[in-house]
Amino acid sequence: MVVYGATGYTGKLVAEYLHAQYGVGGEVSWAMAGRSQEKLEAVRKDLGIPDSLPLLVADASDPMSVTAMVERTSVVLTTVGPYQLYGSDLVAACVKAGTDYVDLCGEPNWMNEMIEAHNEAAQKSGARIVFSCGFDSIPFDLGVLFLQERAQAQFGKVLPRVRGRVRSMKGVWSGGTLASFKATMAAAAANPELVAVLTNPFALTPGFTGAEQPTGMKPMYDEVLKSWVAPFMMATINTKNIHRSNFLQDHGYGEDFVYDEMLLTGPGEEGEAIAKAVAADTSMATDQTQPGEGPTKEQRETGHYDILFVGEAAGGETLRAAVKGDMDPGYGSTSKMIAEAAVCLVKNPTLGGGGVTTPAAALGSHLIERLQRNAGLTFQLEAN
């Protein structure tokens, strides 16, 4: 596998994790790639990685170098975003070569374009194009899968209504996430038709529109959880990915599946006030953090997240599950998640089949197992 963008902030973290977890010349054969041989050598030295680790020079503005990189590997892990600006040629090259691909994309407008342009060809070439392998959307996508698999085992059926609720989260959003957010908003401003994609929960399920979904865009009191809830900034991408996972699994959660995702803020007047403050917050639009900037090592290691999933069936059956991570969501945990997603593809070369897919549909319980064993995530049922 190749880590493309290894000289960037997140790419370095991925390389650091792979070296610590798998070493060099061990069970996983990997390389680092980026635009500058000199910077790649500096990162390799800075991280204490042996000189035997291969380095590849590839630049998004030079399609031939990208093609050469893709043809040398079985999996490309890319942290080079915003993907709508720098990812299209790489996806096309991977699809053509039959090379698997993972990224950290949270740009549904671009993902919609890539599905339309490449899904059929990827199915034919065998390339598994797996978007959104970081905090958006692995804990949520796999959290719903975990809950549904346990519901099937316990009740003999899936749960048509699932609530995703972020109970706690400590971390800062990344410069890359901000850049992707701003690129998406700029694209929507230039092409108003994209607004329909961004607001459609079924934007990634071409030809299928399911049941009406809650918008999750306003503070409200959640009667099931007896708590106020606020809009969650990652919900617009996570919900789309979860509906695509359901779609790709032949509607394994049901054609009438309903899912929403919000932030728990607590009961009473205080919970209501926090929910309204969260909804009114516009700091993401004005934040000037740049790609490549991020939190300190201490900030990453003291971060965490805790997500609750509550499923309900028409017969009254309910099930709760929690997904927790041991580092900050945007960097520390994300770098481990995308690395393990790529390794999971390497270790399971026929799993899921080709196409533009999702973590749950492509890797499922195999990835859950790896994340629990290696990456500091836990997936557990909770008492109702």
Side-chain angles (χ1 to χ4, degrees):
M1 57 181 282
V2 169
V3 179
Y4 178 50
T7 59
Y9 187 97
T10 306
K12 284 183 194 174
L13 293 177
V14 172
E16 184 177 37
Y17 173 79
L18 286 170
H19 180 228
Q21 188 68 34
Y22 298 103
V24 174
E27 62 171 309
V28 178
S29 171
W30 63 287
M32 296 194 304
R35 289 180 295 178
S36 164
Q37 177 79 18
E38 186 179 356
K39 288 182 179 179
L40 287 167
E41 289 173 357
V43 168
R44 187 172 63 182
K45 182 178 180 181
D46 184 50
L47 295 178
I49 299 173
D51 289 348
S52 56
L53 182 84
L55 304 176
L56 306 177
V57 175
D59 188 338
S61 65
D62 178 5
M64 289 183 67
S65 70
V66 169
T67 298
M69 173 185 71
V70 164
E71 290 177 346
R72 286 190 63 182
T73 187
S74 59
V75 180
V76 173
L77 180 165
T78 174
T79 61
V80 182
Y83 297 97
Q84 59 197 289
L85 301 181
Y86 306 115
S88 297
D89 288 341
L90 177 57
V91 169
C94 285
V95 169
K96 185 176 180 180
T99 298
D100 297 330
Y101 165 106
V102 295
D103 71 14
L104 298 171
C105 188
E107 305 163 40
N109 54 316
W110 179 75
M111 293 160 67
N112 172 276
E113 290 176 19
M114 293 299 100
I115 290 168
E116 185 175 337
H118 298 297
N119 187 55
E120 190 175 336
Q123 288 174 334
K124 291 178 180 176
S125 75
R128 294 172 292 178
I129 308 299
V130 193
F131 297 135
S132 308
C133 288
F135 184 62
D136 53 329
S137 298
I138 277 179
F140 303 91
D141 193 25
L142 294 183
V144 172
L145 177 73
F146 176 83
L147 183 73
Q148 296 289 22
E149 287 181 341
R150 297 307 181 276
Q152 187 70 54
Q154 193 163 319
F155 305 129
K157 61 183 178 183
V158 293
L159 305 169
R161 174 68 174 109
V162 174
R163 290 170 168 82
R165 298 291 182 260
V166 179
R167 286 191 291 205
S168 68
M169 183 171 67
K170 181 184 178 186
V172 298
W173 51 58
S174 70
T177 294
L178 286 167
S180 293
F181 171 76
K182 291 175 180 179
T184 298
M185 292 303 99
N191 181 5
E193 290 180 8
L194 291 182
V195 174
V197 173
L198 296 174
T199 57
N200 177 10
F202 299 100
L204 305 182
T205 61
F208 174 79
T209 300
E212 187 174 350
Q213 304 290 313
T215 67
M217 298 304 291
K218 293 190 295 187
M220 57 174 275
Y221 185 74
D222 189 325
E223 291 287 351
V224 171
L225 291 160
K226 307 301 180 188
S227 170
W228 280 86
V229 292
F232 176 54
M233 63 179 182
M234 316 307 284
T236 54
I237 178 59
N238 292 335
T239 52
K240 292 174 178 61
N241 275 323
I242 287 162
H243 284 299
R244 182 158 179 80
S245 290
N246 185 33
F247 175 77
L248 292 173
Q249 297 175 99
D250 297 323
H251 301 288
Y253 311 155
E255 292 196 8
D256 58 348
F257 177 65
V258 176
Y259 176 78
D260 72 327
E261 205 169 87
M262 300 191 80
L263 184 71
L264 281 176
T265 60
E269 292 182 358
E270 183 180 1
E272 181 180 8
I274 295 171
K276 289 180 177 177
V278 169
D281 182 22
T282 59
S283 58
M284 191 171 184
T286 56
D287 193 301
Q288 295 303 306
T289 304
Q290 297 299 307
E293 298 177 1
T296 64
K297 186 173 188 287
E298 182 184 2
Q299 287 175 315
R300 294 196 305 271
E301 292 180 351
T302 57
H304 58 79
Y305 52 91
D306 176 0
I307 309 156
L308 174 68
F309 299 91
V310 181
E312 299 173 287
E317 300 91 342
T318 64
L319 201 62
R320 295 184 177 214
V323 177
K324 299 177 183 180
D326 68 345
M327 293 182 74
D328 81 297
Y331 287 108
S333 191
T334 279
S335 59
K336 294 191 289 185
M337 284 188 278
I338 190 172
E340 287 297 338
V343 173
C344 196
L345 288 169
V346 170
K347 294 289 189 181
N348 300 276
T350 61
L351 189 65
V356 180
T357 183
T358 63
L363 302 170
S365 57
H366 289 76
L367 182 53
I368 291 175
E369 182 184 331
R370 298 198 73 87
L371 294 172
Q372 295 204 105
R373 187 168 69 240
N374 301 330
L377 274 73
T378 59
F379 292 72
Q380 294 179 321
L381 290 180
E382 291 191 349
N384 287 324

